[in-house]
Amino acid sequence: MKGPLFSRRWFLLTGAAALPSWIFFPTSFVGQPFFDDKQSPEQLRKPRIIETEWIAMPDGAKLAARIFLPEDAEQHPVGAVFEYIPYRLRDWYRLGDTFWGSRLAERGFAFVRVDIRGSGDSDGLIEGEYLQPEQRDAVDIIRWIARQPWCNGSVGMRGASWGGFSALHAAHAAPQELKAIVSICGSENGYLEDSHYLGGTVLMDNVVWGAMLADVCASPPDPEVVGERWRRMWLERLNAAGPRATTWLQHQHYDAFWKNASNTDYSKVKCGLYMVDGQLDPYIDSTPRMLSQSQCPRTALIGPWAHTAPGGRPGPSLDWIAGETRWWKQWLNREDTGIMNEPMIRAFMTYASAAKQFPAETPGRWIAEPSWPSPNVTATPFYFTKHGLARRREGEKRIEYHARQTVGLKTVWWCPTELDQELPQEQSDDDRLSLIFDSTPLAEPLEILGNPVARIRVRADAPVAKLVVRLTEVDPQGKSWLVTYGALNLTHRAGHENPQPLIPGRDYDVEVPLFFTARRFNQGSRIRVAVSESLWPMIWTSPQQVTLQITTGASAIMLPVREIRAQAIDAMPIPPSPLRPRPRQDGPQANEGMKGLIIHIDGPPEHRRVRLVQDDPYGKMHLDDINVDIDIFHLSVDHRINEGDPNSSLWSGAALCSWARPGWNVETNSTYKMSSSPEEFVIEERLTAKEDGKVIADRTWSNRIRRDMV
């Protein structure tokens, strides 16, 4: 949870939202509310900050907390909002925590931000993501908060990415003191939605996030907080370090490893549930699943954003302080704000792909549905035919497709966050390397809300193969813009727990779910379905070269069509953010995208060599109040492949973090390199740490891992 390359440094700096710091912290911001929820100054309470509070766990470990309170909270106890993540409250998230904590305290709530055991200044070690000890600690912290004299006994939990996962796990544990949660870009299932696998295929973010998490787990506590024991604590973390990506790659199916860090008994969630996500975020499918499977009081908000809170980009963004405060008043102060009498789900119906408009706001409107699944959405088939895509089924015919490994260069990132570089671009180049099925131009607009599902009859000439399905809108100018996509390892066609190899030459009827979306296809546009066997570099290649055969007539895309009502706009009770997007540029340099990403292509199309290089050096900043210079996740990637050779794929890269003040100069650097043969993955991970420029730890893990139908 985390977000692969997730706004790398900026997600960490803003805390609740993966946004560039200039969005939340303009140079004019000096303790003044940047978001305005229409409260006059006399209605705001003066905040007080407890810089470091130690919370004792039952086993004696002490976890570091930073607490924001209304100044009079001891005299007039308040509801408390808790956020629980491993991203260093002392420095990495300092600005974001200060922003959110101060805003919540001004509005009458306590905000308690805690470093997970083994991270930041907290005691202990991090052994993995969302493990049971971490979840138990969360429950103990919630009970500790509820007992404090400044708390009225009601606790809420909020968080984005890892914090969203943490909130969902705590809701599943159901301590009685936990009254409600806000999960932003989170999920209850670490196999289905996280940086490791997509439809049973291996994600690039498995290795990128592995390097980043290695830095998180190996980062030192601050000597100004923990004193002289900081070096001993740091060495313990370095000595306990392990190969993160290797561990995840050893669990290629939905096995006990993933189940131990997931909570899918939805009946156990009793508290108020607010699911928040954006259509460009790959964690989005948890939101409709939590709405449909849970029975607790619940609601959801889905905007046009990426891996960020509703104040983020691409716009239009919302004044999330106002939106979240309304939720906490309902559940922590027992005020009837009316929020639970409103539609279960609100979503932004986009009229164009973000990349087509960015950095301008995405055009569209807010819509609402009273329940989910919605009675206003109908699964409507569009059949594959020899002529394209049609509403009526035609005769069956097999179409052969020889896999092209270099499909995917226009949809590089699974979780785009540096939006100037990483939004999915115009898709025509990838479409030309895929099987495409186009509708005729639409005589009138068509809107969809939900998860499209591709139902495809397919055969392969190999026991392991994939299907990748992209849904695009082809505008009247012939440009193809991504709407949503999905991928399926065909050995996982019956589920992710017990994959079965394909029998070459046998037909299989499979379903490929695509990510949730809310999208209008405009009049005059064509609906396109593009089918391929690869999506590189986002997804690792199959063990051998594959030829697929798709049967038209027996294959279709099921679109969740929502009736376009006469009343085109549903009310949005959350006011718009005062943020103003940068103006769209014109001219030959406008909207090129991926400005920091370099893709080298050499050779003829059938044998082209591709190299993707990106360097992200902009995570440096100085924090005046604690006098420290930090460099957060300076990332570099160098990924390569040769067309026609699936085992020529190579992923390599590094993530570096550093901290410096007079008398304290330390850094960690994690690297990865991954390749494959038809039988195994070859992966090397390395962690080095330096103090005053001298290496104090240097560990390398080299492993060969059997490919288990991946």
Side-chain angles (χ1 to χ4, degrees):
M1 294 208 109
K2 45 249 139 224
L5 282 103
F6 64 106
S7 212
R8 334 253 210 236
R9 68 273 178 189
W10 297 126
F11 185 97
L12 299 172
L13 297 182
T14 58
L19 297 174
S21 63
W22 61 264
I23 287 184
F24 271 136
F25 309 106
T27 55
S28 61
F29 172 66
V30 186
Q32 300 177 5
F34 189 44
F35 289 94
D36 178 14
D37 62 1
K38 312 306 179 188
Q39 297 194 54
S40 61
E42 58 269 20
Q43 292 176 296
L44 298 178
R45 297 162 73 171
K46 185 176 180 181
R48 176 169 70 90
I49 302 176
I50 300 173
E51 184 62 31
T52 304
E53 179 74 67
W54 297 105
I55 302 176
M57 295 291 98
D59 65 354
K62 294 182 178 180
L63 306 189
R66 192 165 179 241
I67 301 175
F68 299 76
L69 300 172
E71 191 175 47
D72 59 349
E74 278 85 358
Q75 293 75 39
H76 304 283
V78 297
V81 180
F82 165 42
E83 187 164 354
Y84 181 57
I85 47 180
Y87 304 135
R88 301 182 63 87
L89 62 84
R90 175 68 171 169
D91 41 49
W92 285 0
Y93 263 49
R94 187 174 190 82
L95 297 182
D97 291 341
T98 298
F99 177 82
W100 288 106
S102 298
R103 301 292 79 75
L104 288 169
E106 287 173 345
R107 288 150 180 80
F109 303 96
F111 178 63
V112 183
R113 171 61 174 88
V114 179
D115 278 340
I116 284 173
R117 183 188 294 249
S119 69
D121 298 319
S122 290
D123 291 348
L125 302 169
I126 297 179
E127 297 180 359
E129 299 173 300
Y130 330 124
L131 300 184
Q132 293 300 314
E134 175 187 320
Q135 296 182 34
R136 288 193 295 270
D137 282 350
V139 172
D140 290 329
I141 295 168
I142 289 168
R143 290 172 175 158
W144 179 91
I145 293 170
R147 295 194 302 268
Q148 300 311 298
W150 39 259
C151 182
N152 65 11
S154 295
V155 180
M157 200 164 174
R158 77 182 303 276
S161 199
W162 192 310
F165 278 71
S166 296
L168 287 167
H169 293 322
H172 183 270
Q176 64 179 7
E177 298 88 349
L178 183 65
K179 307 304 181 184
I181 70 166
V182 175
S183 175
I184 304 170
C185 305
S187 176
E188 82 286 13
N189 190 307
Y191 185 84
L192 293 181
E193 288 106 16
D194 212 349
S195 305
H196 314 298
Y197 296 93
L198 174 61
T201 68
V202 179
L203 284 166
M204 172 178 70
D205 297 272
N206 189 68
V207 289
V208 177
W209 171 239
M212 296 168 72
L213 184 59
D215 282 332
V216 171
C217 299
S219 68
D222 192 324
E224 291 190 352
V225 176
V226 304
E228 295 182 356
R229 66 190 183 110
W230 78 270
R231 185 177 286 102
R232 174 174 56 80
M233 292 174 65
W234 190 26
L235 290 174
E236 287 175 354
R237 294 177 184 182
L238 294 171
N239 290 333
R244 302 294 170 174
T246 298
T247 299
W248 301 322
L249 198 57
Q250 288 169 336
H251 299 276
Q252 297 165 30
H253 310 154
Y254 185 50
D255 59 12
F257 174 86
W258 299 108
K259 294 175 184 178
N260 185 52
S262 300
N263 287 304
T264 56
D265 184 348
Y266 302 96
S267 66
K268 292 186 176 181
V269 179
K270 306 296 185 184
C271 67
L273 175 65
Y274 200 163
M275 299 293 294
V276 181
D277 217 322
Q279 293 182 50
L280 295 176
D281 182 56
Y283 299 87
I284 190 172
D285 286 344
S286 178
T287 292
R289 191 168 58 244
M290 290 299 297
L291 292 184
S292 64
Q293 298 294 322
S294 302
Q295 298 302 313
C296 62
R298 59 204 185 279
T299 191
L301 175 67
I302 296 176
W305 320 292
H307 195 62
T308 173
R313 298 189 302 167
S317 57
L318 299 176
D319 183 351
W320 187 233
I321 289 292
E324 194 169 316
T325 297
R326 186 168 177 244
W327 176 256
W328 298 129
K329 286 180 178 178
Q330 175 78 33
W331 289 100
L332 304 185
N333 290 358
R334 300 180 180 87
E335 297 179 24
D336 186 2
T337 64
I339 193 169
M340 299 313 299
N341 299 323
E342 295 174 359
M344 180 180 287
I345 183 170
R346 295 184 188 275
F348 190 76
M349 180 65 68
T350 61
Y351 294 174
S353 295
K356 189 175 183 179
Q357 306 293 129
F358 193 80
E361 291 186 346
T362 304
R365 74 184 194 281
W366 288 102
I367 62 171
E369 292 292 344
S371 60
W372 194 262
S374 170
N376 302 312
V377 175
T378 303
T380 304
F382 284 73
Y383 294 99
F384 296 7
T385 75
K386 63 181 180 181
H387 303 294
L389 202 63
R391 294 297 302 274
R392 298 182 62 181
R393 188 198 305 261
E394 296 183 2
E396 297 182 4
K397 179 182 178 181
R398 289 196 187 96
I399 300 177
E400 192 168 81
Y401 173 71
H402 299 284
R404 300 293 294 270
Q405 281 72 45
T406 56
V407 178
L409 298 181
K410 297 300 180 180
T411 312
V412 171
W413 305 112
W414 171 76
C415 186
T417 52
E418 298 289 352
L419 302 186
D420 292 317
Q421 305 172 21
E422 297 174 6
L423 285 174
Q425 298 297 295
E426 200 275 326
Q427 300 283 298
S428 293
D429 286 350
D430 283 340
D431 292 352
R432 280 188 281 272
L433 301 178
S434 308
L435 279 181
I436 60 172
F437 302 90
D438 288 358
S439 73
T440 57
L442 297 175
E444 57 186 17
L446 180 144
E447 291 185 352
I448 61 174
L449 177 68
N451 293 88
V453 177
R455 295 178 176 173
I456 297 178
R457 181 168 296 170
V458 60
R459 66 170 60 178
D461 64 350
V464 178
K466 304 184 299 296
L467 270 181
V468 176
V469 179
R470 290 177 293 115
L471 179 66
T472 77
E473 178 178 4
V474 181
D475 65 24
Q477 291 72 44
K479 292 187 175 181
S480 176
W481 299 98
L482 188 67
V483 174
T484 183
Y485 69 96
L488 177 66
N489 178 342
L490 290 173
T491 69
H492 290 230
R493 60 194 177 276
H496 298 302
E497 295 187 45
N498 298 296
Q500 297 296 319
L502 300 168
I503 298 176
R506 173 182 289 186
D507 284 329
Y508 296 91
D509 290 318
V510 302
E511 291 191 352
V512 183
L514 281 59
F515 285 112
F516 184 101
T517 189
R519 177 58 175 262
R520 167 179 283 199
F521 291 89
N522 297 287
Q523 182 178 355
S525 292
R526 288 174 290 149
I527 300 170
R528 171 172 290 174
V529 176
V531 179
S532 60
E533 204 276 335
S534 185
L535 196 68
W536 189 93
M538 183 193 298
I539 293 172
W540 195 262
T541 50
S542 295
Q544 63 189 73
Q545 183 70 19
V546 174
T547 296
L548 301 176
Q549 292 185 24
I550 305 295
T551 302
T552 65
S555 302
I557 184 82
M558 305 297 294
L559 296 183
V561 175
R562 181 181 190 264
E563 178 185 357
I564 301 177
R565 303 167 186 168
Q567 181 183 356
I569 299 177
D570 294 283
M572 166 50 70
I574 305 173
S577 166
L579 298 175
R580 295 292 176 262
R582 291 174 291 176
R584 180 179 171 83
Q585 300 175 352
D586 294 317
Q589 300 301 315
N591 200 38
E592 288 185 350
M594 299 189 181
K595 299 180 184 68
L597 176 67
I598 301 174
I599 299 178
H600 302 276
I601 301 177
D602 299 308
E606 297 80 8
H607 304 286
R608 65 179 184 169
R609 299 177 298 278
V610 177
R611 181 183 181 191
L612 180 149
V613 180
Q614 187 168 10
D615 186 66
D616 188 348
Y618 301 112
K620 294 183 178 181
M621 68 180 303
H622 179 77
L623 297 172
D624 291 331
D625 58 342
I626 58 172
N627 188 29
V628 66
D629 293 294
I630 56 176
D631 191 352
I632 307 171
F633 291 148
H634 182 144
L635 287 178
S636 59
V637 300
D638 187 347
H639 297 175
R640 310 180 187 199
I641 195 169
N642 299 332
E643 184 65 79
D645 182 0
N647 290 295
S648 64
S649 182
L650 174 68
W651 290 342
S652 62
L656 180 143
C657 301
S658 66
W659 300 260
R661 70 160 64 94
W664 190 50
N665 188 343
V666 293
E667 72 173 50
T668 62
N669 188 31
S670 299
T671 65
Y672 64 87
K673 181 184 291 186
M674 178 172 159
S675 60
S676 71
S677 70
E679 295 79 27
E680 61 186 3
F681 295 109
V682 181
I683 183 169
E684 178 181 289
E685 297 177 83
R686 182 179 182 184
L687 172 67
T688 57
K690 295 180 181 179
E691 182 180 2
D692 295 327
K694 297 179 181 179
V695 175
I696 65 166
D698 189 348
R699 305 189 64 185
T700 299
W701 300 270
S702 298
N703 289 281
R704 293 178 176 271
I705 302 170
R706 183 176 69 89
R707 299 181 72 151
D708 191 358
M709 289 179 282
V710 172

